[in-house]
């Protein structure tokens, strides 16, 4: 029972119920801190109908027709960046006078909400074709022996994107012009998360080789043993990965590299790992590089093996999503 219904029944109980105190309307109103009209209305309603429901047809009338509602929804589907004020002016030119509040209500009823947009790089026709062809070739691949890798950057100060605050009193966040930053290289496969490498220098081919030797090979040895041909390396098309120095090193060590389409962050599950880690870092106080590095390593070590398994299992679905979108970006 809602609070409104409870108050109505309380008025009835105080005035008319056999086991009640049988107060007068004014006495019941003083006790409930309500008006006499409120008590009289619901006591009379109960005597007449034996309930305290509102009569049908009461309340605010629907001020728009079905056709007008359809026009409003179609306007915002065709132009998602349209403002409510501009929509009012367009509708007024068509002879339809609707307030911004009504337009907003009709959009909510159609499950259209104002929310943050997804920023994605612009894909050329060649990118789209390559992504589609790649997804066709790999949708049925066995992903259990793939080691996923990537680099990302972490800052010591990450602002809150959203926060609860009183109207007219938005949450104030202090920004730092040049916050502490560290770069991270990580890897994982269906068997868990591997070694993490943190660095502050510019990543070049020589440093990439150092990461391969200290982190990639050691992680692969734990998962797959000494035979480097029993697994494949996934990495993007960064020039450092494709440099002659790195290509020769991978050929000498018998490492097979999975062909990867350009501009395909949505296909790489390790991007989800970076996002989770940045969310967990948000709100933590870190003043020096050592504190930031310690927190990153702590979060990385806390990631469960089941999470890695689920990410690997998502690869067929990611390929299918690319195929369904004809090579364009997906929601991953």
């Amino acid at each position: 029972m809602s609070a409104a219904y409870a108050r109505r029944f309380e008025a009835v109980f105080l005035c008319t119920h056999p086991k009640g105190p049988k107060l007068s309307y004014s006495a019941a109103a003083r006790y409930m801190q309500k008006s006499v009209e409120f008590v009289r209305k619901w006591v009379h309603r109960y005597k007449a109908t034996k309930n305290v429901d509102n009569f049908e047809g009461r309340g605010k009338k629907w001020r728009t027709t079905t056709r007008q509602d359809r026009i409003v929804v179609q306007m915002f589907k065709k132009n998602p960046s349209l403002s409510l004020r501009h929509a009012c002016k367009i509708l007024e030119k068509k002879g339809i006078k609707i307030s911004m509040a009504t337009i907003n209500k009709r959009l909510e009823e159609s499950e259209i909400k104002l929310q943050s947009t997804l920023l994605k790089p612009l894909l050329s026709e060649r990118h789209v074709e390559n992504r589609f062809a790649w997804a066709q070739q790999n949708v049925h691949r066995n992903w259990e022996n793939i080691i996923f890798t990537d680099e990302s950057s972490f800052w010591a100060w990450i602002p809150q994107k959203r926060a609860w605050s009183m109207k007219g009193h938005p949450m104030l966040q202090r920004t730092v012009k040049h916050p502490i930053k560290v770069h991270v290289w990580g890897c994982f496969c269906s068997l868990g998360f591997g070694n993490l490498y943190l660095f502050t220098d510019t990543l070049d081919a020589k440093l990439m080789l150092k990461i391969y030797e200290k982190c990639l090979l050691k992680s692969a040895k734990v998962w797959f043993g000494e035979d480097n041909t029993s697994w494949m390396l996934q990495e993007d098309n960064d020039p450092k990965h494709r440099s002659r120095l790195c290509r020769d090193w991978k050929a000498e060590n018998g490492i097979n590299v999975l062909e990867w389409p350009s501009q395909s962050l949505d296909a790489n599950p390790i991007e989800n790992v970076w996002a989770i880690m940045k969310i967990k870092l948000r709100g933590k106080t870190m003043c020096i590089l050592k504190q930031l590095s310690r927190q990153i390593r702590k979060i990385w070590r806390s990631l469960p093996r089941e999470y890695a398994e689920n990410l690997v299992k998502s690869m067929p679905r990611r390929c299918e999503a690319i195929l369904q979108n004809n090579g364009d970006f997906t929601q991953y």
Side-chain angles (χ1 to χ4, degrees):
M1 182 186 294
S2 67
Y5 268 73
R7 297 292 277 171
R8 297 172 189 176
F9 277 115
E10 184 181 5
V12 174
F13 175 80
L14 292 174
C15 296
T16 64
H17 197 276
K19 295 184 178 181
K22 296 184 179 180
L23 299 178
S24 65
Y25 293 158
S26 58
R30 284 195 301 272
Y31 176 80
M32 296 178 62
Q33 296 183 349
K34 288 283 189 178
S35 65
V36 176
E37 289 76 13
F38 174 88
V39 176
R40 183 184 293 111
K41 172 184 175 180
W42 294 112
V43 170
H44 289 179
R45 176 72 56 81
Y46 186 81
K47 288 180 179 179
T49 64
K50 298 303 178 183
N51 63 58
V52 290
D53 295 337
N54 286 316
F55 288 142
E56 291 185 5
R58 304 278 297 184
K60 197 172 183 179
K61 302 297 182 183
W62 198 273
R63 293 183 177 247
T64 56
T65 64
T66 304
R67 174 179 169 273
Q68 291 173 342
D69 295 343
R70 188 168 58 250
I71 291 173
V72 169
V73 172
Q74 289 299 323
M75 280 176 57
F76 283 86
K77 283 185 175 180
K78 290 181 180 178
N79 186 4
S81 61
L82 188 66
S83 67
L84 294 176
R85 191 177 301 279
H86 191 198
C88 281
K89 293 180 180 179
I90 294 174
L91 291 170
E92 193 171 349
K93 290 180 180 178
K94 294 181 179 181
I96 304 173
K97 291 187 177 181
I98 307 177
S99 67
M100 289 191 291
T102 302
I103 293 175
N104 191 37
K105 190 172 183 179
R106 298 296 174 266
L107 294 176
E108 288 181 355
E109 290 162 356
S110 300
E111 297 186 352
I112 299 175
K113 297 181 180 180
L114 184 65
Q115 52 190 341
S116 301
T117 58
L118 296 175
L119 300 179
K120 298 286 188 179
L122 180 64
L123 293 178
S124 65
E125 290 185 11
R126 183 173 162 226
H127 288 144
V128 172
E129 292 172 0
N130 290 343
R131 281 165 53 87
F132 188 83
W134 175 86
Q136 281 184 318
Q137 294 171 3
N138 293 279
V139 66
H140 300 300
R141 172 186 287 278
N142 177 19
W143 296 93
E144 300 295 322
N145 65 335
I146 305 296
I147 297 180
F148 296 90
T149 67
D150 194 27
E151 305 89 27
S152 186
S153 297
F154 290 81
W155 287 262
W157 188 88
I158 302 176
Q160 294 280 358
K161 290 188 176 181
R162 293 183 178 182
W164 296 104
S165 59
M166 297 292 291
K167 186 176 180 181
H169 300 278
M171 176 181 173
L172 177 64
Q173 295 190 79
R174 304 291 181 182
T175 60
V176 181
K177 192 170 185 180
H178 300 292
I180 299 167
K181 180 174 72 171
V182 65
H183 308 293
V184 176
W185 180 95
C187 65
F188 79 92
C189 71
S190 60
L191 299 174
F193 292 90
N195 293 332
L196 196 68
Y197 191 90
L198 278 65
F199 57 98
T200 55
D201 299 328
T202 302
L203 183 61
D204 55 15
K206 290 183 179 179
L207 181 54
M208 198 71 241
L209 285 186
K210 185 178 179 181
I211 294 173
Y212 286 154
E213 292 171 352
K214 291 189 65 175
C215 296
L216 177 62
L217 287 184
K218 288 184 178 180
S219 300
K221 185 177 179 180
V222 172
W223 293 326
F224 302 101
E226 298 286 350
D227 185 10
N228 290 337
T229 61
S230 61
W231 55 274
M232 291 187 71
L233 172 64
Q234 179 281 327
E235 56 186 3
D236 57 30
N237 296 315
D238 191 287
K240 293 176 284 295
H241 303 152
R242 300 164 61 188
S243 65
R244 179 178 297 179
L245 195 63
C246 290
R247 282 190 287 110
D248 291 345
W249 183 89
K250 284 179 276 193
E252 291 173 4
N253 288 273
I255 297 175
N256 296 317
V257 180
L258 176 68
E259 183 182 353
W260 196 257
S262 300
Q263 301 288 6
S264 297
L265 295 177
D266 55 338
N268 193 348
I270 202 170
E271 295 294 337
N272 298 74
V273 180
W274 300 142
I276 288 292
M277 292 180 66
K278 288 175 182 178
I279 289 172
K280 290 188 175 183
L281 276 175
R282 191 171 289 136
K284 295 185 182 295
T285 303
M286 296 163 287
C287 301
I288 58 176
L289 182 61
K290 187 179 290 186
Q291 291 176 336
L292 174 60
S293 301
R294 187 184 300 116
Q295 289 291 341
I296 291 172
R297 293 187 185 278
K298 182 179 178 181
I299 294 172
W300 180 264
R301 287 194 297 267
S302 70
L303 297 173
R305 175 179 170 177
E306 292 75 18
Y307 182 43
E309 291 176 355
N310 292 335
L311 288 173
V312 174
K313 289 178 181 177
S314 73
M315 286 307 299
R317 298 194 298 271
R318 291 171 189 263
C319 293
E320 289 171 0
I322 292 174
L323 294 175
Q324 290 174 0
N325 286 1
N326 296 317
D328 204 348
F329 275 117
T330 67
Q331 293 296 322
Y332 281 95

